[in-house]
Amino acid sequence: MKNLYLASRNNGKIEEYKKLLSKVNCQLLLQPETLEVEEDGLTFRDNAIKKASEVSRKTNNFSIADDSGICIEALGGKPGIYSSRYAENDKKRIERVLKELHGVKNRSAFFVANICVCAPNGEVVIESEAKCYGNVILKPRGNGGFGYDPIFEESSTRLTFAEMNNVIKDSCSHRGKALKKIIPDLLQIFY
Ligand code: IMP
């Protein structure tokens, strides 16, 4: 079985990926603790490529990375690529967004996930991007999830990401959709 390094430090993400990649015959591993990849690209794609490519070259294995975030129309697409750095923790990030949207009628927003898979030499072999549309609500709702989940109400279900179980979230989320698109390509590499 070939290794596939997930270019992330996030334990929550590896659990999400393990479920989503259950049909792919690979050993999913978190990137080595000592490896630090700076997310200084100007697009989600730049950052995903940078993360995957560095982890592949350093581990000499296949790797998969995603870069994701929430883009809010009334804020000109912010926080976007700065989603994870918009304030020092999830609670403060949510507070900042709600403050910036105070009194704003247009609450349209979408999440984006860009996923990249690199070969052991760092070359990009698979790419995918997907979005999930919804609205930023006035007050947080729901107890699950992470990040901006409690304030993002997904359009088709009218549930916040924090009110969804994993199965529902995976079926409509940006990350779930981006990953589902590349399963056939992954099966060609990991069989
Ligand atoms: P990344 O790990 O660099 O891709 O950071 C993405 C950031 O965007 C996270 O730290 C969250 O703040 C936010 N984000 C991305 N996807 C989601 C999601 O599904 N729910 C809530 N927040 C998310």
Side-chain angles (χ1 to χ4, degrees), residues 20-21 23-24 178-188:
L20 290 161
L21 297 179
K23 294 202 183 99
V24 178
L179 204 48
K180 213 168 292 162
K181 285 201 262 188
I182 59 169
I183 298 287
D185 303 307
L186 286 167
L187 289 172
Q188 302 259 318

Side-chain angles (χ1 to χ4, degrees), residues 13 39 51 66-69 83-84 93 111 146-149 161 169 174-175:
K13 233 182 217 182
E39 290 183 31
K51 286 190 263 187
D66 74 53
D67 198 49
S68 53
S83 293
S84 60
R93 287 190 268 275
F111 271 105
F146 71 102
Y148 300 88
D149 279 354
F161 272 173
K169 186 174 175 190
H174 46 310
R175 196 170 303 103

Side-chain angles (χ1 to χ4, degrees), residues 47-98:
N47 283 331
I49 292 177
K50 188 170 186 218
K51 286 190 263 187
S53 163
E54 283 198 33
V55 171
S56 278
R57 278 187 276 112
K58 294 271 163 58
T59 59
N60 207 24
N61 273 284
F62 280 92
S63 85
I64 185 163
D66 74 53
D67 198 49
S68 53
I70 186 168
C71 302
I72 301 170
E73 201 171 282
L75 302 181
K78 282 199 298 179
I81 54 167
Y82 304 105
S83 293
S84 60
R85 297 163 268 170
Y86 213 44
E88 64 186 276
N89 57 43
D90 281 347
K91 188 168 172 274
K92 289 194 174 152
R93 287 190 268 275
I94 286 180
E95 279 166 11
R96 176 168 176 191
V97 163
L98 292 181

Side-chain angles (χ1 to χ4, degrees), residues 116-188:
C116 171
V117 177
C118 284
N121 64 2
E123 189 194 329
V124 176
V125 288
I126 305 175
E127 285 189 67
S128 177
E129 188 167 285
K131 292 182 180 161
C132 176
Y133 292 89
N135 288 294
V136 176
I137 54 176
L138 298 170
K139 277 193 292 182
R141 240 176 41 218
N143 300 313
F146 71 102
Y148 300 88
D149 279 354
I151 55 166
F152 181 77
E153 185 188 77
E154 192 273 326
S155 293
S156 65
T157 57
R158 307 296 299 268
L159 295 172
T160 68
F161 272 173
E163 292 174 311
M164 295 180 180
N165 62 32
N166 288 340
V167 177
I168 301 177
K169 186 174 175 190
D170 289 348
S171 71
C172 66
S173 82
H174 46 310
R175 196 170 303 103
K177 289 194 285 192
L179 204 48
K180 213 168 292 162
K181 285 201 262 188
I182 59 169
I183 298 287
D185 303 307
L186 286 167
L187 289 172
Q188 302 259 318

